[in-house]
């Protein structure tokens, strides 16, 4: 994998803390390895109270947090599928099924525009930003009481004790993920009207009305004595505590090598791959430290599939389809508005990477070796990329928006318009102009690695997999206090493959 140029990051409310500096030690064989992860590297020193963990577990799998009560955090972050959903781009509220079998069901407004990020070790203190574009960051110099720079700006409340807790405030505000569209429920309507505090309060009100949850909040928080004391910030803190424990993963062969400070504990092929990774291939210039990420943002000419985030000024999809949407995803640029950040995305952790496909911010690569080879020479890979017919599940039905005078309405799309709507899935990649913008921003310097070297790198990546991470569906409770069916359902209750 290549070395990336070190362009400066925009200074808008961003700070580098001492926690981003990772200690290294020289292993037997001469390769510099990071220090192993310890309890102190995680929130709550890796051990939140049992009451806080149990509350967070129930909330994580309970659809009560979604506007239409039909999707949970766990639906897209399934512990049986590498803490993702196994899809390039998933379906949020309105979808049916779990994991790679999830489909549009009775109607969705769109695909989720970015790949569901894996949660392995997400409770580590070293994380300095959340989401693919880093739009949530801690910064005491920001003018907001919360101490975070975020899409909610001044509306993000105080009382969030970690970056991960702050992150938990946002999926419930996404119309396509959990909130639902305007008019479908009061939470979705509040979000559509930019009333984020009202949306959080509406969800907290649901929890206040459930005696089982009230008892759990009282047990977990010293400042909660009765139902009226429950705020959504408490739920967010519990969700963070649960994720810190549930998705900690430190039992891979790589972890054994870190503990021993010696690569010889790996297989000979994985050891050769590690030497390439930390040496000539340059992978560790970005995938550094024990989490295998530099917590920074890079443009690596990743193909875009799906609807994007609605960025850019291009209107050719509108002209071609009749749908008034823009399809580009300009990544970090839409946070900093620094042109140097165009098409940059956060370096993902490579922990359990063999379990977390499809890969890339839009899930463009369903094969990990193709993802590795893309890094070696990105722009030719981008130009040669073709969107596979089965890369994204087909739309069965779409809930489309339309304007009626000053009112925005959502109603089922005419089936005769589905084909035109679905052309968005490959539109950016098929456009020479839009694909060219992605290519022009690339920071990749090609690196020559032969087929044997790629095979060795793949062996090392396999050594990053913790065998306990393959299926953690035992985390899913049989019931949750809302009385709704937990999502996803326990693996034993799902339809056979």
């Amino acid at each position: 994998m290549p070395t990336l140029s070190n362009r400066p990051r925009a200074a808008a409310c961003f700070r580098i803390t001492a926690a981003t500096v990772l200690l290294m030690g020289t292993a037997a064989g001469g390769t510099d390895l990071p220090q192993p992860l310890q309890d102190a590297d995680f929130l709550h020193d890796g051990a939140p109270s049992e009451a806080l963990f149990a509350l967070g577990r129930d909330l994580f799998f309970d659809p009560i947090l979604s506007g239409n009560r039909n999707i949970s955090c766990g639906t897209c972050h399934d512990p049986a599928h590498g803490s993702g959903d196994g899809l390039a781009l998933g379906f949020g509220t309105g979808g049916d099924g779990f994991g790679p079998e999830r489909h549009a069901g009775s109607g969705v407004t769109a695909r989720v525009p970015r790949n569901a990020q894996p949660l392995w070790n997400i409770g580590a203190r070293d994380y300095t930003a959340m989401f693919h574009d880093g739009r949530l960051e801690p910064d005491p110099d920001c003018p907001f009481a919360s101490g975070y720079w975020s899409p909610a700006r001044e509306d993000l409340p105080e009382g969030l004790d970690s970056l991960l807790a702050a992150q938990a405030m946002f999926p419930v505000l996404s119309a396509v993920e959990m909130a639902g569209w305007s008019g479908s429920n009061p939470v979705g309507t509040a979000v559509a009207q930019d009333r984020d505090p009202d949306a959080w309060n509406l969800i907290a009100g649901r929890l206040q009305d459930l005696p089982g949850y009230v008892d759990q909040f009282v047990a977990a928080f010293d400042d909660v004595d009765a139902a009226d004391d429950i705020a959504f910030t408490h739920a967010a803190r519990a969700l963070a505590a649960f994720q810190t424990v549930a998705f900690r993963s430190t039992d891979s062969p790589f972890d054994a090598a870190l503990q021993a400070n010696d690569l010889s504990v790996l297989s000979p092929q994985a050891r050769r791959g590690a030497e390439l990774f930390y040496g000539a291939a340059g992978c560790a210039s970005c995938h550094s430290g024990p989490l295998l990420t530099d917590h920074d943002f890079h443009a690596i000419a990743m193909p875009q599939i799906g609807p994007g985030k609605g960025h850019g000024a291009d209107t050719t999809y509108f002209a071609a389809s009749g749908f008034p949407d823009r399809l580009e995803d300009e990544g970090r640029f839409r946070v900093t508005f620094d042109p140097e950040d165009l098409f940059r995305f956060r370096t993902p952790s490579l922990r359990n990477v063999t379990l977390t496909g499809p890969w890339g911010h839009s899930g463009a690569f369903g094969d990990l070796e193709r993802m590795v080879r893309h890094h070696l020479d990105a722009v030719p890979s981008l130009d040669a990329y073709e969107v596979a017919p089965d890369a994204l599940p087909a739309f069965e039905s779409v809930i489309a928006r339309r304007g009626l005078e000053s009112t925005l309405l959502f109603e089922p799309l005419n089936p005769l318009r589905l084909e035109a709507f679905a052309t968005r899935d490959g539109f950016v990649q098929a456009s020479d102009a839009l694909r060219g913008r992605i290519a022009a921003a690339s920071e990749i310097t090609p690196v020559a690695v032969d087929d044997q070297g790629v095979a060795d790198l793949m062996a090392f990546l396999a050594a990053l997999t913790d065998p306990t991470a393959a299926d953690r569906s035992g985390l899913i409770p049989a019931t949750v206090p809302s009385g709704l069916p937990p999502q996803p359902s326990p693996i034993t209750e799902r339809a056979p493959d």
Side-chain angles (χ1 to χ4, degrees):
M1 296 181 191
T3 301
L4 302 182
S5 63
N6 242 344
R7 295 179 181 174
R9 296 172 71 173
C13 277
F14 177 78
R15 65 192 177 96
I16 297 176
T17 68
T20 65
V21 180
L22 300 171
L23 299 175
M24 306 287 286
T26 302
T31 299
D32 286 337
L33 293 177
Q35 295 295 311
L37 290 165
Q38 308 289 343
D39 289 347
D41 295 319
F42 292 87
L43 302 176
H44 304 279
D45 291 335
S49 71
E50 290 185 13
L52 193 61
F53 172 86
L55 172 59
R57 177 197 59 208
D58 285 352
L59 291 169
F60 190 86
F61 296 107
D62 196 334
I64 194 69
L65 300 188
S66 64
N68 290 315
R69 295 176 171 86
N70 61 0
I71 188 170
S72 77
C73 306
T75 308
C76 294
H77 298 286
D78 188 338
H81 291 288
S83 72
D85 57 11
L87 294 168
L89 299 172
F91 289 121
T93 185
D96 287 329
F98 307 116
E101 304 306 314
R102 189 165 175 81
H103 54 96
S106 58
V108 297
T109 56
R111 302 187 193 281
V112 178
R114 290 175 177 164
N115 181 258
Q117 293 185 291
L119 301 181
W120 302 115
N121 296 314
I122 196 66
R125 299 181 191 273
D126 274 343
Y127 276 99
T128 57
M130 290 289 170
F131 302 109
H132 284 287
D133 54 16
R135 62 187 180 273
L136 171 64
E137 300 172 297
D139 198 312
D141 297 326
C142 282
F144 309 130
S146 68
Y148 295 96
W149 185 264
S150 79
R153 303 295 194 267
E154 67 276 4
D155 286 338
L156 190 66
E158 298 181 71
L160 297 162
D161 59 356
S162 70
L163 181 64
L164 185 55
Q167 183 277 334
M169 301 290 288
F170 289 95
V172 298
L173 299 183
S174 169
V176 73
E177 293 181 43
M178 296 185 74
W181 51 93
S182 180
S184 66
N185 68 83
V187 175
T189 300
V191 168
Q193 296 174 352
D194 294 322
R195 296 187 287 112
D196 293 350
D198 288 345
W200 289 318
N201 289 339
L202 285 165
I203 301 171
R206 294 178 181 178
L207 301 174
Q208 294 168 359
D209 289 339
L210 293 166
Y213 270 129
V214 173
D215 290 345
Q216 283 190 286
F217 277 96
V218 169
F221 292 100
D222 292 339
D223 61 340
V224 176
D225 296 317
D228 289 348
D229 297 327
I230 298 171
F232 194 75
T233 51
H234 292 110
R237 289 168 60 185
L239 286 165
F242 167 72
Q243 292 173 77
T244 296
V245 176
F247 299 109
R248 178 168 172 174
S249 181
T250 52
D251 290 319
S252 68
F254 175 69
D255 288 295
L258 298 189
Q259 290 288 346
N261 197 31
D262 188 353
L263 289 173
S264 69
V265 303
L266 303 180
S267 71
Q269 186 174 23
R271 186 163 64 247
R272 292 196 303 270
E275 289 165 354
L276 265 176
F277 186 95
Y278 286 101
C283 310
S285 63
C286 296
H287 294 286
S288 56
L291 297 170
L292 297 160
T293 172
D294 60 1
H295 303 283
D296 210 335
F297 302 84
H298 303 288
I300 62 169
M302 283 295 298
Q304 183 194 314
I305 62 175
K309 292 285 282 186
H311 300 159
D314 184 82
T315 58
T316 54
Y317 171 73
F318 184 10
S321 70
F323 292 96
D325 296 307
R326 299 175 183 180
L327 300 183
E328 293 182 271
D329 190 334
E330 295 177 327
R332 182 69 171 162
F333 170 73
R334 285 291 165 157
V335 177
T336 67
F337 291 98
D338 181 345
E340 294 292 306
D341 282 332
L342 275 166
F343 304 106
R344 285 181 165 181
F345 295 89
R346 190 178 72 171
T347 306
S349 169
L350 297 184
R351 289 291 188 144
N352 296 319
V353 68
T354 60
L355 305 176
T356 59
W359 297 269
H361 69 272
S362 67
F365 288 100
D367 179 88
L368 183 56
E369 182 175 327
R370 284 190 66 201
M371 180 80 256
V372 170
R373 290 184 181 275
H374 174 86
H375 281 71
L376 299 176
D377 198 1
V379 172
S381 171
L382 169 68
D383 287 337
Y385 182 90
E386 295 183 0
V387 181
D390 60 349
L392 297 167
F395 288 101
E396 297 145 286
S397 60
V398 170
I399 305 297
R401 68 183 186 275
R402 70 177 180 90
L404 181 64
E405 296 179 345
S406 62
T407 303
L408 192 62
L409 301 177
F410 290 84
E411 58 190 17
L413 180 67
N414 185 332
L416 297 177
R417 300 279 288 138
L418 272 177
E419 184 175 354
F421 181 88
T423 59
R424 64 184 57 201
D425 287 342
F427 195 89
V428 170
Q429 181 62 21
S431 166
D432 290 343
L434 301 184
R435 191 177 65 254
R437 292 190 71 214
I438 297 172
S442 178
E443 305 167 39
I444 289 282
T445 301
V447 171
V449 176
D450 63 17
D451 289 348
Q452 182 59 59
V454 170
D456 293 343
L457 283 171
M458 295 297 295
F460 175 63
L461 295 181
L464 306 179
T465 300
D466 177 344
T468 72
D471 179 8
R472 293 193 180 178
S473 56
L475 291 164
I476 304 170
T479 61
V480 289
S482 70
L484 296 167
Q487 287 202 26
S489 57
I491 199 76
T492 55
E493 298 177 13
R494 304 188 201 181
D497 294 336

